[in-house]
Amino acid sequence: MPGAQPDHPYVRPVSVRLTPDHPYAAPRGRVLGGSTTVNGGYFIRARRTDFERWARRSGDARWSYERILPFLRAMETDLDHPDDPLHGSEGPVPVQRVTPDHPAAAAFNAAARELRHPEEADKNAQDPPGFGPVPMNTRGGHHVNTGLAYLLGTAWRPNLTVRGGHTVRSAVIERGRARAVVAEHEGRHTVVPAGEIVVCAGALVTPHLLHLSGVGPAQRLAGLGIPVVADLPAVGAAVSDHPQVAVTWQPRHPLADPEGGWLGGALHLASSSGGRRAGDLEVLQSLLPLAALTAGTTSAGRAPSSFLVSVQAPRRSGGLRTVSADPEVAPLVDYGYLATPVDRRRLREAVWAAAHLVGTSAFGEVCAGLAAPSGRRVLDDDRALDHWVRAHLGTAQHTCGTVPMGPSGAVDAHGRVHGVTGLRVADTSVLPDAPLRGRAATAVLVGELAADSLRRT
């Protein structure tokens, strides 16, 4: 989105490597509301199989779908299904789906039917994967981030202080208890004492902050001169995210500008090696050319439009390694994309799925042909398609798993850091791996679960 460009003042770009030879700047929101302020508004829940997997790995049934559903309902006001028992009607986050009435969205819907993909009218209802509109955290076309949803109405509370412009450098941990945080403001350091510290800096910043606080792989931290307070090798040991490429197509004629939202719909389907019940491939339609999105315009015109295709299988790879005790020195972050033949095959299959949609007679009503990858020579040759994918590789920005929960992980099912009293993590770094859908709704869920745990202890 325009606000997610690396040079925007509300964004902190984190340098990562998607593959060993593919550097990338991953934007993270540095504004109240975090990355829910600068993301695309996609608000699809994780799948039942995700919650079952996380419950097993955390060793705690509180992560089972049946135990999670009341929290999912409580955090939302679903404007499309207010009376449905699967949805909430009084929560802080509005959820609304854009109807597929734009010509390109209608053609996508018809193309999915032509290829016999099932209809999935409500992607937050755990139905079999297929084509359907995208739930978004919007109301009347306006993006409602977590700052607006949760904090705007609580700013008056006497026990709440919000400090902007402060960069947290580390937590102060003494004799196994977190005592305070060290923050920097306009070049000066200040120590903020605390009875309980909840770290929610995101899956790329939280593990680095823990390393700087002495929480992580002991041998590596000691080698950097960082005093070790908790030897937790799982902190930063792996990263889980979803590789993504844009498949572009040329409009047959100028398209109307979209109203209400930029997403025309989403198709979820199974790869040849994925679970058929959940669907590990996603084809997400942008009703605007990517150049228009990043420039902040809503003009569709005749420029090539995109399907954002991604592999959303829950996979851990790569890792985050702190290389200096100086907080200004960025860690090395490797995503480990495309490392195995299965990785490469899955992304090829996602590209083929989008190409098949573009090639239907239904989509031909609005489309003059595939723009990239162009030609059967690329699509029909695995090596050529892999080369194209590597040259155009991006990420869906769904980073998880850097501070995983579980007995052999770094935190328990409540986000409490193993071996340190008074220190919790409440962001998607605690998820053992990325969900089979985008992570925004799950990030809010993690916050709700942490708040419930804090109230009960």
Side-chain angles (χ1 to χ4, degrees):
M1 301 300 101
Q5 297 312 296
D7 58 349
H8 196 285
Y10 291 164
V11 163
R12 174 185 179 179
V14 179
S15 296
V16 304
R17 292 183 298 193
L18 303 183
T19 67
D21 56 356
H22 193 124
Y24 187 88
R28 291 295 182 267
R30 62 182 305 210
V31 61
L32 203 63
S35 293
T36 64
T37 309
V38 298
N39 71 350
Y42 171 120
F43 208 74
I44 301 181
R45 295 174 179 176
R47 300 288 289 182
R48 179 188 290 269
T49 54
D50 293 318
F51 294 115
E52 292 172 351
R53 188 176 66 256
W54 296 335
R56 288 195 307 271
R57 294 189 180 180
S58 69
D60 196 314
R62 81 186 305 249
W63 278 93
S64 66
Y65 177 71
E66 288 71 21
R67 296 271 295 273
I68 287 293
L69 183 57
F71 291 94
L72 292 171
R73 296 183 68 250
M75 75 190 201
E76 71 174 15
T77 293
D78 193 308
L79 301 172
D80 301 315
H81 303 284
D83 301 320
D84 191 309
L86 292 177
H87 298 293
S89 59
E90 299 180 356
V93 181
V95 177
Q96 194 167 29
R97 297 152 189 82
V98 177
T99 55
D101 52 6
H102 186 276
F108 184 15
N109 190 359
R113 289 199 304 271
E114 182 177 326
L115 294 174
R116 300 184 182 276
H117 293 295
E119 182 180 357
E120 188 185 4
D122 181 6
K123 287 190 172 289
N124 282 343
Q126 304 298 325
D127 293 329
F131 172 84
V134 178
M136 303 180 73
N137 53 309
T138 59
R139 179 186 282 114
H142 294 279
H143 194 162
V144 180
N145 67 21
T146 52
L148 295 171
Y150 284 88
L151 288 178
L152 198 61
T154 62
W156 56 269
R157 293 184 182 179
N159 63 341
L160 172 66
T161 301
V162 179
R163 296 186 182 179
H166 287 66
T167 301
V168 175
R169 296 303 191 187
S170 65
V172 178
I173 302 170
E174 299 173 346
R175 294 185 294 278
R177 168 172 280 279
R179 305 285 183 180
V181 294
V182 178
E184 184 175 337
H185 177 62
E186 295 181 346
R188 300 183 64 181
H189 286 79
T190 181
V191 178
V192 183
E196 183 98 15
I197 297 168
V198 182
V199 182
C200 46
L204 291 178
V205 179
T206 288
H208 186 220
L209 182 60
L210 292 178
H211 285 172
L212 296 174
S213 305
V215 178
Q219 186 174 359
R220 184 178 299 165
L221 297 184
L224 299 174
I226 299 174
V228 178
V229 298
D231 181 13
L232 295 175
V235 178
V239 174
S240 186
D241 206 325
H242 299 147
Q244 183 179 82
V245 293
V247 173
T248 57
W249 55 274
Q250 185 65 47
R252 185 174 296 280
H253 47 71
L255 294 173
D257 295 343
E259 297 180 3
W262 67 282
L263 291 172
L267 172 65
H268 292 100
L269 66 161
S271 71
S272 60
S273 53
R276 302 197 67 81
R277 290 175 54 204
D280 59 336
L281 304 182
E282 179 179 84
V283 181
L284 188 67
Q285 184 186 38
S286 171
L287 297 177
L288 288 170
L290 294 186
L293 280 175
T294 55
T297 71
T298 57
S299 177
R302 294 191 64 120
S305 290
S306 297
F307 286 114
L308 302 175
V309 304
S310 54
V311 175
Q312 301 194 335
R315 182 179 181 277
R316 290 166 58 82
S317 55
L320 181 148
R321 183 161 60 93
T322 295
V323 295
S324 172
D326 182 351
E328 290 295 327
V329 177
L332 296 179
V333 185
D334 289 296
Y335 276 46
Y337 283 167
L338 308 180
T340 71
V342 172
D343 294 339
R344 297 188 288 275
R345 185 180 69 243
R346 278 177 169 155
L347 202 42
R348 287 197 302 271
E349 291 176 3
V351 172
W352 289 333
H356 290 156
L357 289 161
V358 170
T360 59
S361 58
F363 204 72
E365 295 292 320
V366 298
C367 173
L370 200 64
S374 59
R376 302 307 310 181
R377 183 187 63 81
V378 176
L379 287 170
D380 293 343
D381 185 318
D382 288 358
R383 182 173 295 181
L385 185 52
D386 286 348
H387 180 78
W388 181 87
V389 165
R390 284 186 180 276
H392 296 84
L393 185 63
T395 180
Q397 312 286 359
H398 299 158
T399 318
C400 302
T402 50
V403 190
M405 60 184 172
S408 61
V411 300
D412 67 9
H414 297 260
R416 296 174 294 211
V417 176
H418 295 323
V420 181
T421 304
L423 182 63
R424 300 175 188 248
V425 176
D427 57 39
T428 60
S429 61
V430 305
L431 302 175
D433 43 36
L436 280 155
R437 300 294 180 262
R439 65 171 185 161
T442 309
V444 179
L445 171 67
V446 171
E448 287 278 7
L449 290 170
D452 177 73
S453 178
L454 282 163
R455 283 193 295 267
R456 294 173 183 272
T457 56

